Amino acid sequence: MKGKTAKTEGVIGSKAGLARILSGLKGFDEAKVRLEQYITDGETAADILWNMYILGDIDGKVIVDLGAGTGILGVGAGLLGAKKVILVEIDKTALDIAKENISKVKSEGYSSVCDMEVIGKDIEEIRNKERCEGTKGLKGDVVVENPPFGTKVRHADIRFLEKALEIANVVYSLHKSESKGFLERFAAGKKAKITHIWRYDLPLKAAFAFHTRRIRRISVSCFRFSTTN
Ligand code: SAH
């Protein structure tokens, strides 16, 4: 599939181009430890989104970005031709930055970036009747998420995954690579399959005082879950 380009008018034609735009977006002003606010860097986000695109999981789809933070994954999905992107984020400050980022790409001429909706809520508050695509509540074709890994709020990652699988049949979710065995058992319990795994070394910037070195990296993997294939 090398060389495949985004065909939707006005959007990005290469992974490198996408990475450049995403790297220029604004990040967290002051990351909140309790909420595990770790941004996905532009290169990693572009790679995840490009894989999604190649597998047919973006073009023309309704994408839900759970725990959207400053919006890098959702904005990128919009740039690659999603039909609609819905960003859900509990932290209003982060969501304001996400809105700025959406305006920025639109003002830079990517005017065909799709309809982007932001919802300032805890993912737990998203009920079926809350929002609609039809009458069934918050539903999408695909969820993309870089959730809290559960180091501050126990099982936060699992709550994100459960919510994601309620929303869509296909879920791209970032987790520590070491969680693979656990996630395989979790998926089996949900009658879902892990169809693909991509591994990354995610830079954790020294946004938090307890980080001693300026940048350290952790091994994370993006897992694609599917309940249909
Ligand atoms: N998706 C972004 C941010 C990842 S950090 C990126 O890839 O860069 C995880 C995000 O989840 C943070 O912005 C945090 O505020 C948000 N979050 C944590 N708990 C949440 C909850 N219960 N409901 C909604 N968002 C939550």
Side-chain angles (χ1 to χ4, degrees):
M1 286 288 199
K2 200 170 162 225
K4 179 167 182 181
T5 54
K7 65 178 180 321
T8 309
E9 198 183 311
V11 296
I12 309 308
S14 75
K15 184 163 78 175
L18 179 64
R20 227 174 0 257
I21 297 169
L22 296 181
S23 300
L25 297 180
K26 198 169 168 214
F28 295 108
D29 277 337
E30 217 171 292
K32 296 186 176 116
V33 177
R34 187 180 51 84
L35 293 172
E36 295 190 60
Q37 291 183 330
Y38 294 105
I39 195 165
T40 309
D41 66 287
E43 295 285 333
T44 305
D47 199 78
I48 292 167
L49 291 159
W50 203 257
N51 289 330
M52 291 172 66
Y53 177 76
I54 297 287
L55 288 172
D57 288 329
I58 293 194
D59 200 10
K61 305 283 184 189
V62 176
I63 311 273
V64 179
D65 180 355
L66 277 190
T70 54
I72 191 163
L73 295 170
V75 168
L79 287 164
L80 288 180
K83 179 163 106 188
K84 176 171 181 162
V85 178
I86 302 164
L87 297 95
V88 182
E89 168 59 50
I90 196 171
D91 179 31
K92 191 178 170 307
T93 317
L95 213 50
D96 284 343
I97 298 173
K99 287 180 199 164
E100 260 182 64
N101 284 330
I102 293 168
S103 305
K104 180 172 188 276
V105 290
K106 290 197 171 173
S107 72
E108 281 169 357
Y110 302 104
S111 55
S112 63
V113 169
C114 64
D115 179 15
M116 298 260 202
E117 180 180 350
V118 295
I119 301 177
K121 277 193 191 297
D122 187 322
I123 58 152
E124 301 289 354
E125 289 174 49
I126 302 291
R127 297 275 177 265
N128 270 355
K129 60 180 174 347
E130 193 74 53
R131 282 269 161 217
C132 37
E133 274 288 312
T135 53
K136 288 210 168 151
L138 182 63
K139 285 281 177 197
D141 299 308
V142 179
V143 167
V144 61
E145 58 178 17
N146 177 3
F149 292 153
T151 54
K152 294 293 159 194
V153 178
R154 219 162 157 248
H155 304 312
D157 48 346
I158 291 307
R159 286 207 243 126
F160 267 70
L161 256 185
E162 280 178 338
K163 186 56 73 177
L165 287 167
E166 283 172 25
I167 293 172
N169 291 331
V170 175
V171 173
Y172 288 75
S173 191
L174 258 83
H175 299 271
K176 287 186 180 169
S177 298
E178 67 203 33
S179 307
K180 180 170 174 271
F182 175 80
L183 292 171
E184 279 165 349
R185 289 191 296 279
F186 170 85
K190 296 278 172 193
K191 301 205 174 0
K193 275 195 186 130
I194 295 174
T195 62
H196 298 70
I197 302 175
W198 298 272
R199 196 170 170 133
Y200 301 100
D201 284 321
L202 203 65
L204 288 184
K205 295 227 175 77
F208 303 145
F210 55 79
H211 289 162
T212 47
R213 281 183 290 147
R214 233 190 95 58
I215 292 186
R216 71 183 175 93
R217 292 182 176 266
I218 53 163
S219 175
V220 301
S221 296
C222 178
F223 295 81
R224 181 183 184 273
F225 296 84
S226 170
T227 52
T228 54
N229 54 50

